[in-house]
Amino acid sequence: QGSQKRSNSTPETPRPKRALSSRSPYGLFSPGSFSPSVTPSQKYSSRGGRGEVVASFGTAQGPAWSGRGGCAVKLFGCPEENLTKPYKFMFQKALDVREALAGRVEELGEVLRRHHGLDGFSSAALPAQEPVTVLGQISCDGNGKLNAKSVLLVGDLEHSGGAQVPLDLSELPEYSLFPGQVVALEGTNSTGRRMVVSKLYEV
């Protein structure tokens, strides 16, 4: 009698997998075990009973909606800020989005300046031996999570031209930041490459 050789499993000749037993827990908790028993779907070209309800939940069938009187829509605010014609959502140009975000940063920066009584903002990209106050948005230096070593400040367009500066937060006793947050910072940037933050202004 010849010795029986074990069948080798290769990508070209895979070994047949054993079927799941009827007592497998996967079969007990599969979506099919909880779903109502409906007729399996057929091919699209040979389907029948179009629009037929095969399963329903609850007793409300076809609630009737009715209203009385008319209503009129009135636009408030400046005409240039209201939509007067249809437009495609999320089809804005990148430059328009940038301008809108820059305007929002300037508005929040003015709120921060008045709230904390700040004199004004300086550029975040220029070297500064003395403490300066800058305005910008919190960002991350990569796709990972925001941590103490990956915090960037994207300066505002008016003062910093959108320059990105890494932040050193070691001198702050406590802070809580998130990407996209508009903040005003006070610190020194002796080399122009990293700002050591001494104060954090936020509303």
Side-chain angles (χ1 to χ4, degrees), residues 1 31 35 44 52 55 61 70 76 78 80 98 106 121 139 141:
Q1 296 179 354
S35 302
Y44 186 81
E52 180 185 356
Q61 294 290 338
F76 292 92
C78 302
E80 59 270 10
R98 176 185 171 92
E106 298 298 334
F121 300 111
S139 180
D141 64 356

Side-chain angles (χ1 to χ4, degrees), residues 46-102:
S46 61
R47 64 193 177 105
R50 297 179 180 91
E52 180 185 356
V53 178
V54 295
S56 61
F57 179 78
T59 57
Q61 294 290 338
W65 297 90
S66 62
R68 293 179 298 177
C71 62
V73 179
K74 184 178 180 181
L75 297 177
F76 292 92
C78 302
E80 59 270 10
E81 295 181 358
N82 296 324
L83 291 176
T84 56
K85 59 182 180 179
Y87 86 110
K88 295 182 178 181
F89 179 66
M90 295 182 67
F91 274 73
Q92 301 95 335
K93 296 180 181 179
L95 290 178
D96 295 340
V97 175
R98 176 185 171 92
E99 290 298 327
L101 292 177

Side-chain angles (χ1 to χ4, degrees), residues 120-124 126-134 185-189 195 198 201:
F121 300 111
S122 304
S123 174
L126 297 178
Q129 304 297 332
E130 297 295 328
V132 295
T133 305
V134 298
L185 304 173
E186 181 181 304
T188 57
N189 189 4
M195 173 166 284
S198 56
Y201 300 101

